[in-house]
Amino acid sequence: MIQDRPGTVGFQTIPDSQTQPMPDSSNPLLRSDGLPAFDRIRAEHVGPAIRSTLAEANEAIESIVAVPGPRTYDEVLGALDRISEVVSRRIAPVQHLLAVAESPDLREAYNEVLPEVSAFWARIPLNRGLWQAIVDLAQSGEATSLDGIYARDLERTVAEFRHAGADLEPDHQDTLAALKVELSQKERTFGEHVLDATNAWSLHLEDETRLAGVPEAPRRRFRERAASEGLDGYLLSLDFPSFEAVIKHASDRSLRQEVHGAYVNRCRGGSYDNTGLIREILGLRLRIARLVGFEDFPDYRLEQHMAKTGEKARSFVADLVDRTRPYWARDIAELQDHARTLGIDRLEPWDVGYVSERRRKARFDIDDEALRPYFPLPAVEAGLYELVQRVFGLSVTERSAEGVWHSDIRVFDIHDEEGTHLATFYADWYPRPEKRQGAWMNPLATGGPTPEGGFEPHLGFIGGNFTPPDGEAPALLTHREVQTLFHEFGHLLHHAVSRSPVRGRGGLNVPWDFVELPSQLMENWTWEREALDLFARHWKTGAPLPDEMFARMFSARRFMAGKFQMRQLSFGSMDLGLHTEFDPEGDEDLLEWIEDWLAPFSPTRSFAEQNIATVFTHLFAGGYAAAYYSYLWAEVLEADAFSRFRTEGLFNRETGRDYVEAILSRGDSADPGVLFQEFMGRDPDPEALIARNLGDMREEQKG
């Protein structure tokens, strides 16, 4: 997952001496040199820094408008890029801290200026003078002389401004800007509620027998957490490593039910209720879409994406649902059959993780806990960086961690084969109460080629919520967590190797249904023996992952793949359905509507009822609204793209170079379909996803 990009237009460019003011040395957010001083940022810095930055940016935009006569590309779009990058870089550290080290005073300070930030980004395409300058440029003689990324930037900017309401009447523009400000506040509140509700829940257990089946490492963490609160026994929480330990391993079914219910029912009532917010967010998005001339929000959102329309996205999901359903039905039947052997007559949502782990163990003689010792986090990171060196010619080296927000943070530099410093990034892998759930990558600042011929490094972040170190043991990952780490690093590479001279068209600034290709492509190496040999070694003995264990792990790759793929499709379908079929102004109960929608994707009604809608930050506090389908859309692309590595060599440097040059470094310099064709020499083959993820049921039946 990537953190949502700011603003309506999303331009990101390097600072320029003409738009960068003299910094206030007492305010770390106004520094113009070095890495952000996260450890020095306080709530009192937020308002002054952001307000002064927005004021300076507005003045600079008016300077663009004030230039008389025909204006050049650099005087209009180049200047706008430089202004926008300064604003993004000043605000990004605050937004980042709210994701990894939130405090009540920092939250309050940012929420106070959030309407002003949202209004700034919303108002850029509604500035009539700026819009006229862009139209004049598009109709000028210089426009005909632009080529490559500059021509695309102009074409895309005109389309994006129109999409954002540049052609609306002034009163409608005012309404649109106000709606976007209100929407940003609602989405921010949604995310705050999820964090607060997660931290508000705990379960104190004094009876050790209730944790039967839970591995010793998480049990020890539960004991330590209880002791830190002055309690005897065990204290459970809802951070994902704690939740997963119970839901997959606890033999006490009532405990699984209690923890699962607490997890999925967060924000369904009480102080952190999100049900009303979901309705308000959907309503605001619909009003925005219709104000700009679209029937619904998916059509509005996807106009600039590969899918182009909501109907195309819905057809894509529906087709995959039909093709996945037989595999899903097979997986559910297998789970239900195995549940009966465990004394569970009726499979419930809180049983799935537990039964699945035991079925996998019975069928393949392997489980996550058996694999953990072979995936120590330090070795996984080192192996990943060696792989990146071999395949892409990029070196990753650690540097001193200065100015960071927590002692767990590590800092790295990325260089290319010529020694160019391409990027610096932070890594933050363990859960904390003040840190959001999940795993994500954040492009903190976009660099790239400079006018003087140099290169300004990019700045990024990757993080997650992995099981932390325990005693003398380092953090030991499940194989799924290894995939997650590779996934987020794929996003980081997309950002780090961007060589776009136009920052707003570089790195992750691509259509949303293309952005997951680089991240999901990286996951493929975690299934290859040749790649695993770089890092899959027992943390104590250094012994490599045994051949027979790898064989069992690989054999289990498609285990429950139909169930997992249908789960992703259910989210994509629900997302599109909520944004088209549900009436946020109507009387229908939201949660009942969601349950009805999810019923065809569910073995029983209880599965539909136990959904995550009220904590689904991807849809209601992130960048995946009306675009959750993009995970599978991009997976079709990456499954096909990786076939070239499988054919030409997993570590083939020439193939890696082609991938960097055709896709990773290009950003939005051309249509994504063109970039894919440049790398593969043809259009995508949709059969690659089914073949890799689900295989052929007939072959399985023969086997």
Side-chain angles (χ1 to χ4, degrees), residues 108-119:
E108 182 181 358
Y110 183 67
N111 284 343
E112 185 179 329
V113 295
L114 177 58
E116 298 164 59
V117 173
S118 302

Side-chain angles (χ1 to χ4, degrees), residues 8-182:
T8 302
V9 184
F11 297 118
Q12 296 186 348
T13 56
I14 61 173
D16 180 85
S17 58
Q18 293 181 343
T19 61
Q20 177 118 337
M22 291 297 292
D24 175 359
S25 59
S26 67
N27 192 321
L29 290 171
L30 297 178
R31 285 180 52 182
S32 60
D33 60 325
L35 299 177
F38 290 106
D39 60 333
R40 289 179 48 210
I41 297 171
R42 302 289 182 268
E44 59 265 26
H45 298 134
V46 175
I50 291 180
R51 287 194 172 101
S52 66
T53 297
L54 296 181
E56 292 156 6
N58 281 320
E59 289 181 10
I61 289 173
E62 291 310 310
S63 296
I64 297 174
V65 175
V67 173
R71 283 158 283 202
T72 66
Y73 172 92
D74 189 66
E75 288 174 330
V76 182
L77 296 189
L80 183 59
D81 276 356
R82 291 188 288 271
I83 294 165
S84 299
E85 177 61 15
V86 173
V87 176
S88 295
R89 289 192 181 207
R90 299 263 182 87
I91 297 174
V94 181
Q95 295 172 324
H96 172 67
L97 285 176
L98 288 167
V100 297
E102 183 171 297
S103 64
D105 56 345
L106 189 66
R107 174 191 289 187
E108 182 181 358
Y110 183 67
N111 284 343
E112 185 179 329
V113 295
L114 177 58
E116 298 164 59
V117 173
S118 302
F120 171 80
W121 293 115
R123 282 289 177 187
I124 287 178
L126 306 182
N127 184 311
R128 304 190 80 79
L130 181 61
W131 173 229
Q132 188 60 53
I134 292 171
V135 170
D136 291 345
L137 174 63
Q139 297 173 348
S140 70
E142 178 170 347
T144 61
S145 67
L146 295 175
D147 58 12
I149 194 168
Y150 300 103
R152 179 168 175 82
D153 184 37
L154 177 57
E155 176 187 358
R156 294 276 285 174
T157 301
V158 170
E160 288 165 353
F161 267 58
R162 285 201 171 102
H163 180 83
D167 284 334
L168 294 178
E169 294 299 318
D171 57 336
H172 287 169
Q173 289 186 338
D174 291 341
T175 301
L176 180 63
L179 290 173
K180 289 186 175 182
V181 169
E182 185 179 359

Side-chain angles (χ1 to χ4, degrees), residues 253-267:
R253 194 183 188 199
S254 65
L255 177 62
R256 296 199 309 270
Q257 181 177 2
E258 184 172 1
V259 172
H260 185 275
Y263 191 81
V264 301
N265 288 304
R266 287 170 293 167
C267 304

Side-chain angles (χ1 to χ4, degrees), residues 447-480:
T450 64
E452 299 76 24
F455 192 93
E456 183 184 20
H458 306 278
L459 183 64
F461 164 87
I462 50 174
N465 285 271
F466 297 156
T467 304
D470 181 52
E472 64 173 357
L476 301 177
L477 308 184
T478 65
H479 185 253
R480 182 58 203 157

Side-chain angles (χ1 to χ4, degrees), residues 403-415:
V404 295
W405 55 95
H406 192 274
S407 58
D408 287 341
I409 311 311
R410 298 169 68 198
V411 187
F412 299 86
D413 291 329
I414 301 178
H415 292 80

